[in-house]
Amino acid sequence: MNSHKIIMNVNATPSAVVNLRCPHCHHVGAFHGLPNCNDLSWSEPPIPPVVNQINHFAAGVRRCPNVECHSLVQVVLQSGKLSESFPPEVIDFDSTNLPTDILTSLEEAIKAHAAGCFRACALMVRRVLEELCDDKKATGGDLKQRLAALSTSVVVPKELLDAADELRLLGNDAAHISAKNYDDIGTEQATLAIELAKELLKAVYQYASLVDRLKALKKP
Ligand SMILES: [Zn+2]
């Protein structure tokens, strides 16, 4: 909140239940407030061009319902809906069978995304893709060629790789990617980059694991 805003009607109000993906354990749950702990609520005047709508806010603490987590999260609600949380919500991902280096880079990309640092996120996604190609010995002159080489050795939908060309962060030349490639990367590009990376990682590391587990069901 900006300090110059006029704040009205500051009160203590009972804490509403909030649906949230836990920033700590990544499960989605209905987060309740703590016993005997109210939210702080307040109102702010309309923000032009809307002239007739008072904004109602509330801020307080919620607890993760997962019994193995029970982490505390600070939330800000606007008109009863979640506006912000701290730590921020993070994109969900499956870490099954991912090599440690790739998992570390992916986690860093997701943390950067949650913090609104979209260019940093894009750089880390690019690193995830490069580490993936390193691990699978997919070679080529640039990242696009390396991803294309990857598709010859693992099951990756061709349409997915073709569409990935639209992502600016892939750049034209891995060796000479310039800073301006990242200048206008916002939430949409960064979100799509993470989703693409997740799908590729799933194809390379997780389908095989599922296939092995299914095969293990076969009776001797
Ligand atoms: Zn949790």
Side-chain angles (χ1 to χ4, degrees), residues 23-176:
H24 301 280
C25 71
H26 301 173
H27 286 95
V28 175
F31 283 55
H32 291 253
L34 300 177
N36 305 317
C37 189
N38 283 319
D39 279 2
L40 187 68
S41 67
W42 70 94
S43 303
E44 293 180 12
I47 303 166
V50 179
V51 291
N52 56 0
Q53 186 187 333
I54 301 284
N55 294 293
H56 299 286
F57 291 93
V61 175
R62 301 291 184 274
R63 189 165 72 167
C64 176
N66 177 358
V67 291
E68 290 171 4
C69 178
H70 274 180
S71 294
L72 298 180
V73 181
Q74 290 179 300
V75 295
V76 178
L77 310 182
Q78 183 173 2
S79 303
K81 293 208 168 99
L82 183 70
S83 162
E84 282 182 61
S85 75
F86 185 83
E89 281 187 282
V90 292
I91 291 177
D92 189 31
F93 70 99
D94 182 357
S95 60
T96 309
N97 284 340
L98 296 187
T100 311
D101 289 356
I102 292 179
L103 178 59
T104 304
S105 298
L106 180 64
E107 284 177 334
E108 200 166 329
I110 287 172
K111 280 182 193 161
H113 182 279
C117 303
F118 300 120
R119 288 181 294 179
C121 169
L123 276 163
M124 289 314 296
V125 169
R126 195 178 163 93
R127 181 170 169 150
V128 166
L129 300 180
E130 282 169 350
E131 286 170 337
L132 167 63
C133 292
D134 285 346
D135 188 43
K136 292 296 162 191
K137 314 271 187 293
T139 55
D142 61 22
L143 185 55
K144 277 185 196 172
Q145 288 176 16
R146 296 185 76 191
L147 288 173
L150 184 74
S151 68
T152 61
S153 58
V154 298
V155 182
V156 182
K158 185 178 178 305
E159 293 81 357
L160 189 64
L161 280 181
D162 289 349
D165 275 358
E166 302 302 323
L167 274 182
R168 203 160 301 141
L169 72 100
L170 292 182
N172 296 319
D173 182 340
H176 302 104

Side-chain angles (χ1 to χ4, degrees), residues 201-212:
L201 294 173
K202 193 191 287 180
V204 174
Y205 298 106
Q206 290 161 350
Y207 286 167
S209 158
L210 180 60
V211 169
D212 288 346

